[in-house]
Amino acid sequence: CNPATAIAFDTFGILIFGASGTGKSTLAVDLLAVGAELIADDAVLVRSDGMGIMLERPANLPNLIEVRGIGLLRAVNSVPKPLRLAVDLNRKEPNRLPPHREIDVLGHNVPLILGAGIHSLGHKLRLFALQGRADEPS
């Protein structure tokens, strides 16, 4: 397990990581509000299945998400999903139109978004999930 949050859209998962207080749960709540399902909040099991990376909720972790100022909320739980995208909330993207970035996760290259300070990031990630980037194969 690692200190991260993961959500799922349809057939794939997004791993959100960053230091405490960077907004992992806040971003996840924004994504849940636009149709995502929660895989896990604050502890995600990341494992290789031989073909790719899977994200899943550890068995002992409750199906809840922390919302600062409100409390622990129940969330629709997703089954394990393959990792399609990682979001780093520690780093800010210096480019208006960034290059394709990747991060190595257990020996697999995964697309990476540097998400610190991006306004309406949840909506932008939802659009990415639905349509992809123009410089990616469709």
Side-chain angles (χ1 to χ4, degrees), residues 50-107:
M51 295 180 60
I53 302 299
M54 296 297 291
L55 303 173
E56 61 186 88
R57 182 173 57 89
N60 63 342
L61 193 68
N63 191 27
L64 302 171
I65 188 163
E66 178 186 336
V67 180
R68 288 182 191 227
I70 296 176
L72 295 173
L73 300 180
R74 292 180 191 90
V76 174
N77 189 45
S78 173
V79 297
K81 297 286 172 115
L83 174 60
R84 177 173 177 211
L85 176 68
V87 179
D88 181 349
L89 294 180
N90 288 322
R91 296 189 287 164
K92 184 174 182 149
E93 176 56 61
N95 301 303
R96 181 175 176 178
L97 295 174
H100 180 79
R101 297 185 189 283
E102 292 184 334
I103 187 171
D104 180 283
V105 179
L106 301 176

Side-chain angles (χ1 to χ4, degrees), residues 3-138:
T5 294
I7 62 93
F9 281 115
D10 304 320
T11 60
F12 64 89
I14 297 175
L15 183 67
I16 304 164
F17 63 94
S20 179
T22 56
K24 296 180 296 290
S25 296
T26 299
L27 177 56
V29 167
D30 289 348
L31 292 166
L32 294 173
V34 294
E37 294 181 346
L38 180 68
I39 295 175
D41 186 35
D42 283 337
V44 180
L45 182 59
V46 179
R47 64 176 174 79
S48 176
D49 72 352
M51 295 180 60
I53 302 299
M54 296 297 291
L55 303 173
E56 61 186 88
R57 182 173 57 89
N60 63 342
L61 193 68
N63 191 27
L64 302 171
I65 188 163
E66 178 186 336
V67 180
R68 288 182 191 227
I70 296 176
L72 295 173
L73 300 180
R74 292 180 191 90
V76 174
N77 189 45
S78 173
V79 297
K81 297 286 172 115
L83 174 60
R84 177 173 177 211
L85 176 68
V87 179
D88 181 349
L89 294 180
N90 288 322
R91 296 189 287 164
K92 184 174 182 149
E93 176 56 61
N95 301 303
R96 181 175 176 178
L97 295 174
H100 180 79
R101 297 185 189 283
E102 292 184 334
I103 187 171
D104 180 283
V105 179
L106 301 176
H108 295 266
N109 290 330
V110 176
L112 174 68
I113 301 291
L114 305 181
I118 296 179
H119 181 70
S120 302
L121 181 57
H123 293 289
K124 293 168 183 172
L125 290 174
R126 176 63 174 150
L127 186 59
F128 177 95
L130 289 171
Q131 303 294 328
R133 277 179 47 152
D135 60 353
E136 291 183 329
S138 48

